[in-house]
């Protein structure tokens, strides 16, 4: 994986170097991403004398499905793409997940490269080799493990990303800091202005450290089967919040932000985490973005947890912090503690945000307003 400002402008060179024998490149993207960054990618191929084809999928999570995969496959056939063809995913997690899956199944598998263009895709979805699409019955239910040959992450592409998307993605980095990287956590505490201003050097560092956490955890997980679960810090309650609001209200990262605060409260209540560390986690989360109000019934959230696909033997697994940089997986969290934590975040979400965070997108976040 290459993480550096300016790497997109040199994409063709890097790709050629990684894949000297590739015959045919096909970019998979969406119209809006292409309008921002397509020219720069094309120019890099023109400069190195290579030709590429481009195929588009519609923008949005609802098109992350088998029908899109089928349409893209037909287009590949029309372009006479054979097993030597290399796909290039230019886009966020949706384009990346679809393209990775397509590469995994087209002609029983061809190679692919990721050029993630959202913060979330750069630190999370492009790392780890999980690809897949949604069914009507649930998210990410059909997929394959498929590693890209190369990932090119250019922080400069984030300049066109809507602020709300950008900030939501940053919570995956906060998560990485809490679970395993206190230096990353401290950096985000001390360099908030630089990060929020999308300063390339600051982002490069945050992206690299976040990726390292995920890549290390995924690699070590092959030996220690449960380790990957720590990546779910904040996600237990986040998934329930997202489902309860029918995926239309929170951006994923915003739900994770609330989920991390809830898990932090549970950790404090159960005597695992000091009040001081708890306050630091909560302050960091709250200082990075104004978050949508939590308007849910705690009971409904608990019911969803109890039926979550990650529930094992009726026990809800929680990832709880014990200090900044270390978490544990806990199976004995009581219903009461969960209800209390959801009530806490509900109350907190109605209080004003700390000074300086502002609410630049507050109109977009009115009750019932769509998250995407
Ligand atoms: N495979 C994995 O391990 C993994 C991990 C986490 C998330 N995911 C998946 O990732 C998806 C979410 O990805 P996402 O948050 O990147 O959302 P996304 O791909 O939907 O992108 C969000 C929005 O930003 C726009 N956009 C993308 N890059 C842009 C840019 N540079 N400038 C301007 N606009 C830009 C997109 O067009 C889209 O409207 C979900 O489907 C989720 O399941 C996968
Ligand atoms: Zn996540």
């Amino acid at each position: 994986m290459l993480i550096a400002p300016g790497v997109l402008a040199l994409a063709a060179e890097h790709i050629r170097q990684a894949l000297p024998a590739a015959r045919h490149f096909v970019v998979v993207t969406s119209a809006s991403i292409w309008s921002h960054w397509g020219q720069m990618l094309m120019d890099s191929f023109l400069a190195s004398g290579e030709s590429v084809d481009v195929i588009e999928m519609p923008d949005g999570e609802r098109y992350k499905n088998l029908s899109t995969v089928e349409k893209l496959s037909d287009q590949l056939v029309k372009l006479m793409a054979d097993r030597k063809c290399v796909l290039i995913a230019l886009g966020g997690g949706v384009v990346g997940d679809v393209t990775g899956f397509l590469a995994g199944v087209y002609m029983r598998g061809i190679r692919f490269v990721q050029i993630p263009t959202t913060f979330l895709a750069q630190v999370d979805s492009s790392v780890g080799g999980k690809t897949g699409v949604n069914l009507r019955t649930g998210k990410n239910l059909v997929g394959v493990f498929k590693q890209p040959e190369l990932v090119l992450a250019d922080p400069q592409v984030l300049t066109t990303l809507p602020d709300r998307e950008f900030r939501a993605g940053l919570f995956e980095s906060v998560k990485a800091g809490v679970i395993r990287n206190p230096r990353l956590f401290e950096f985000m505490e001390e360099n908030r202005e630089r990060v929020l201003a999308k300063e390339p050097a600051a982002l490069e560092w945050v992206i690299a450290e976040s990726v390292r956490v995920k890549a290390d955890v995924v690699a070590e997980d092959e030996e220690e089967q449960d380790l990957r679960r720590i990546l779910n810090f904040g996600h237990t309650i986040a998934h329930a919040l997202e489902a309860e609001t029918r995926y239309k209200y929170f951006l994923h990262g915003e739900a994770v932000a609330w989920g991390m605060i809830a898990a932090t409260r549970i950790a404090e209540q159960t005597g695992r985490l000091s009040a001081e560390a708890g306050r630091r986690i909560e302050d960091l989360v709250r200082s990075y973005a104004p978050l949508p109000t939590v308007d849910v019934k705690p009971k409904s959230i608990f019911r969803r947890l109890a039926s979550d696909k990650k529930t094992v033997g009726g026990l809800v697994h929680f990832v709880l912090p014990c200090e900044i940089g270390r978490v544990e997986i806990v199976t004995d969290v009581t219903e009461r503690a969960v209800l209390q934590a959801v009530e806490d975040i509900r109350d907190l979400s109605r209080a004003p945000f700390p000074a300086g965070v502002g609410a630049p997108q507050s109109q977009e976040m009115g009750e019932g307003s769509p998250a995407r």
Side-chain angles (χ1 to χ4, degrees), residues 30 32-33 36-37 59 61 64 92-95 97 117-118 120-121 124-125 127 130 139-140 157 160-162 165 214 372:
S30 76
S32 80
I33 295 161
H36 290 299
W37 299 103
D59 197 30
E61 182 74 30
K64 194 177 114 171
V94 166
V95 168
D97 279 7
T117 62
T118 64
L120 179 122
D124 192 355
S125 61
V127 188
K130 280 191 186 176
K139 284 188 56 145
N140 299 322
V157 303
T160 55
L161 191 63
E165 291 282 350
K214 179 161 181 190
R372 285 182 200 279

Side-chain angles (χ1 to χ4, degrees), residues 80-364:
M80 296 194 292
D82 62 14
R83 302 204 68 247
K84 290 221 171 81
C85 171
V86 174
L87 301 184
I88 301 171
L90 178 72
V94 166
V95 168
D97 279 7
V98 166
T99 309
F101 181 68
L102 180 63
V105 297
Y106 183 74
M107 296 202 168
R108 295 188 191 83
I110 59 175
R111 289 170 300 173
F112 87 116
V113 170
Q114 293 251 38
I115 306 182
T117 62
T118 64
F119 190 85
L120 179 122
Q122 293 187 346
V123 300
D124 192 355
S125 61
S126 66
V127 188
K130 280 191 186 176
T131 76
V133 297
N134 305 326
L135 298 179
R136 261 191 213 104
T137 39
K139 284 188 56 145
N140 299 322
L141 291 179
V142 174
V144 294
F145 280 101
K146 172 86 182 166
Q147 290 291 351
E149 304 300 316
L150 178 67
V151 181
L152 299 175
D154 188 338
Q156 276 168 5
V157 303
L158 305 175
T159 49
T160 55
L161 191 63
D163 201 44
R164 188 178 170 195
E165 291 282 350
F166 173 65
R167 291 185 189 221
L170 287 171
F171 291 116
E172 298 288 354
S173 292
V174 173
K175 177 195 81 177
V178 174
I179 65 176
R180 233 170 125 91
N181 190 333
R183 281 199 323 139
L184 172 58
F185 188 94
E186 279 155 29
F187 184 89
M188 291 188 78
E189 281 182 322
E190 286 160 15
N191 294 277
R192 178 177 156 267
E193 303 299 327
R194 293 175 63 202
V195 171
L196 288 179
K198 300 180 181 170
E199 202 185 282
L203 289 187
E204 181 181 353
W205 197 86
V206 171
I207 294 164
E209 289 297 306
S210 311
V211 163
R212 204 157 55 83
V213 169
K214 179 161 181 190
D216 286 354
V217 168
V218 170
E220 285 171 40
D221 186 60
E222 307 209 328
E223 295 134 44
E224 197 191 329
Q225 289 233 319
D226 270 353
L227 189 65
R228 201 170 175 143
R229 290 222 190 109
I230 72 172
L231 296 168
N232 269 331
F233 172 55
H235 283 62
T236 313
I237 286 192
H239 289 147
L241 287 174
E242 289 180 283
E244 188 65 16
T245 51
R246 285 174 290 135
Y247 299 95
K248 288 195 163 73
Y249 182 65
F250 297 101
L251 291 181
H252 172 69
E254 293 168 344
V256 171
W258 283 127
M260 290 192 290
I261 293 179
T264 299
R265 291 276 171 117
I266 295 173
E268 277 182 72
Q269 276 167 23
T270 53
R272 289 184 170 83
L273 183 72
S274 72
E276 194 223 329
R279 161 95 5 229
R280 278 178 71 197
I281 295 173
E282 207 168 302
D283 284 352
L284 186 66
V285 171
R286 302 238 309 152
S287 73
Y288 264 92
L291 297 171
T293 316
V294 178
D295 281 318
V296 295
K297 292 195 181 73
K299 276 261 181 214
S300 314
I301 296 300
F302 185 78
R303 268 199 296 276
R304 285 192 185 269
L305 295 186
S307 62
D308 191 282
K309 66 178 176 198
K310 295 201 171 84
T311 303
V312 179
L315 294 169
V316 183
H317 284 71
F318 262 94
V319 181
L320 300 181
C322 348
E323 59 183 300
I324 287 163
R326 197 165 63 83
V327 287
E328 57 181 300
I329 295 165
V330 174
T331 54
D332 61 353
V333 176
T334 62
E335 178 171 353
R336 241 199 71 70
V338 174
L339 295 178
Q340 184 60 52
V342 179
E343 259 174 53
D344 284 357
I345 57 171
R346 199 174 59 174
D347 294 346
L348 202 57
S349 76
R350 290 172 178 158
F353 268 81
V357 181
Q361 319 98 338
S362 56
Q363 292 120 308
E364 289 170 38

